[in-house]
Amino acid sequence: QALDLQRDILGTRHPDTLTVMHNLAVTLHSQGDLAGAADMMRQALDLQREILGIRHPHTLAAMQNLAVTLKSQGDLAGASEMEREVLDLRREVLGA
């Protein structure tokens, strides 16, 4: 419901709507709906990359959370690839 209201009021591409999408995905993960969580995380992440940019802290956090979900689903290769990408980007952004 919160996501539908957010989309209606602010639109799908608003940063606050993206935050609600991501929070819903985290909730789905916590409830054990890993497939639903991964799907929602991918949708939010695609929009975050486009709107906020790949190096934005929220985008990087979303990528990390997707990696955790992939790991929970047993997709260790996908999780590892995502974690490496996050690590490389964080080194670029924060220095290493």
Side-chain angles (χ1 to χ4, degrees):
Q1 248 181 350
L3 180 56
D4 291 337
L5 286 172
Q6 211 56 35
R7 285 178 173 157
D8 289 345
I9 295 168
L10 299 176
T12 301
R13 301 174 59 81
H14 192 280
D16 289 348
T17 303
L18 300 179
T19 298
V20 172
M21 287 177 72
H22 182 78
N23 290 343
L24 175 57
V26 170
T27 299
L28 291 172
H29 181 129
S30 296
Q31 292 175 336
D33 182 2
L34 300 179
D39 183 53
M40 180 68 65
M41 284 180 183
R42 284 187 180 100
Q43 289 177 42
L45 181 55
D46 287 346
L47 289 166
Q48 286 173 314
R49 284 178 170 159
E50 182 182 336
I51 295 164
L52 302 176
I54 191 73
R55 289 170 179 78
H56 191 281
H58 293 172
T59 305
L60 295 174
M63 292 170 70
Q64 184 64 49
N65 286 337
L66 177 56
V68 169
T69 298
L70 293 173
K71 182 179 177 185
S72 295
Q73 287 181 305
D75 181 2
L76 301 182
S80 179
E81 181 180 332
M82 182 69 64
E83 287 172 345
R84 283 189 182 105
E85 185 178 358
V86 171
L87 179 59
D88 290 344
L89 287 166
R90 286 192 176 167
R91 284 180 173 157
E92 280 181 34
V93 171
L94 300 174

